Amino acid sequence: MLFSRTPAVRSADQIAVMRRAGRVVAEMHAAIREAIAPGVTTGELDRIGREVLARNGATSNFLGYGHPPFPGVICASVNDMVVHGVPTDDVVLADGDIVSIDCGAIVDGWHGDAAFTAPVGTVPAEVLRLIEVTEASLAAGIEAMVDGNRIGDIGAAVERVALKAGLGVVEGYTGHAIGQAMHEAPNIPNQGTPGTGAKLRVGNVLAIEPMLVLGSPETMVLDDDWSVVTADGRWAAHAEHTIAITPDGPEILTLP
């Protein structure tokens, strides 16, 4: 199983380059977050992401990915869309929406990948709590990324926070190891049993990305073969960082 595969160990020099890629991703997040407002299209947000990549001499690991080739440098997923929303000028953000932005960057062949969910204007308290708990579950997963722990410890930590808050955890979509490809083995599920799966070591670099929902965790894929929505139409939130395991513990690479 991909869950059992041992993540690659990266050198300090390789992690340094991934840190540079991560900082480009962080800059994309900051610029896009500032632009999120009622009346803005997800296509406009994608163009902001492209500008940040160009300014930093970085390339996108989203654009052209997969089959059919993904057409944007960001995924922009609104309300009940969990992940993989295709950015377009046909989708206009409205007051009360939420939007998750997932994006990445390649610098000198090494990848960074991260996501956040933001409110658009004023949203209900229940929805703000969904975003906050999703971020808290990501933080718990990151805390479990220490030398000697196992992959199951990460998923268990994410799931514990979500279930304690009464939220659903989307199954079938996971985090992943990351390096010279955006998605590398093993997968990092958002559920797990402590003490199971491959052992974590200093030099591992993983992208942890919980996806939580207000209702049922069941999902379906729309006709564009990309956009994943909740089956019951309840809203979803997504958060992600790229993290390296260091001798001093986890280091988030996708921060400014």
Side-chain angles (χ1 to χ4, degrees):
M1 296 187 302
L2 285 178
F3 175 71
S4 300
R5 292 272 297 275
T6 301
V9 173
R10 309 300 183 187
S11 70
D13 288 344
Q14 291 168 339
I15 291 173
V17 181
M18 295 186 74
R19 190 180 295 112
R20 288 166 51 205
R23 286 174 176 163
V24 175
V25 178
E27 186 176 334
M28 293 173 76
H29 278 197
I32 291 169
R33 189 186 287 271
E34 186 176 356
I36 290 172
V40 173
T41 71
T42 59
E44 290 176 83
L45 301 180
D46 185 74
R47 288 190 285 276
I48 291 170
R50 292 172 190 254
E51 291 168 0
V52 174
L53 288 167
R55 185 162 64 240
N56 285 278
T59 55
S60 172
N61 40 17
F62 282 44
L63 184 64
Y65 182 89
H67 303 285
F70 193 77
V73 303
I74 69 169
C75 295
S77 306
V78 180
N79 297 341
D80 64 331
M81 192 171 291
V82 182
V83 284
H84 303 164
V86 176
T88 170
D89 286 330
D90 293 333
V91 175
V92 183
L93 299 178
D95 185 67
D97 286 344
I98 59 173
V99 58
S100 77
I101 302 297
D102 189 1
C103 58
I106 308 171
V107 172
D108 291 342
W110 293 88
H111 292 244
D113 183 15
F116 69 92
T117 301
V120 183
T122 303
V123 303
E126 176 188 44
V127 176
L128 284 178
R129 180 172 176 270
L130 169 66
I131 295 172
E132 291 167 357
V133 174
T134 302
E135 293 173 347
S137 70
L138 172 59
I142 293 171
E143 288 178 6
M145 275 188 62
V146 295
D147 183 50
N149 269 2
R150 293 184 178 271
I151 288 175
D153 295 312
I154 298 172
V158 169
E159 186 177 32
R160 189 181 309 116
V161 172
L163 296 184
K164 183 177 179 181
L167 298 178
V169 182
V170 172
E171 300 179 13
Y173 297 91
T174 69
H176 48 90
I178 184 171
Q180 289 184 293
M182 179 165 59
H183 295 119
E184 296 187 352
N187 292 332
I188 315 296
N190 293 311
Q191 302 93 359
T193 301
T196 63
K199 184 174 286 188
L200 301 174
R201 297 174 291 171
V202 170
N204 292 159
V205 184
L206 308 177
I208 309 301
E209 49 179 320
M211 291 152 254
L212 306 187
V213 292
L214 290 172
S216 167
E218 296 298 317
T219 61
M220 56 187 182
V221 180
L222 299 184
D223 290 342
D224 62 11
D225 290 329
W226 276 111
S227 305
V228 178
V229 298
T230 59
D232 62 5
R234 300 292 303 278
W235 287 12
H238 177 206
E240 178 184 18
H241 273 303
T242 296
I243 308 103
I245 299 178
T246 77
D248 299 319
E251 178 192 350
I252 300 175
L253 303 182
T254 39
L255 289 175

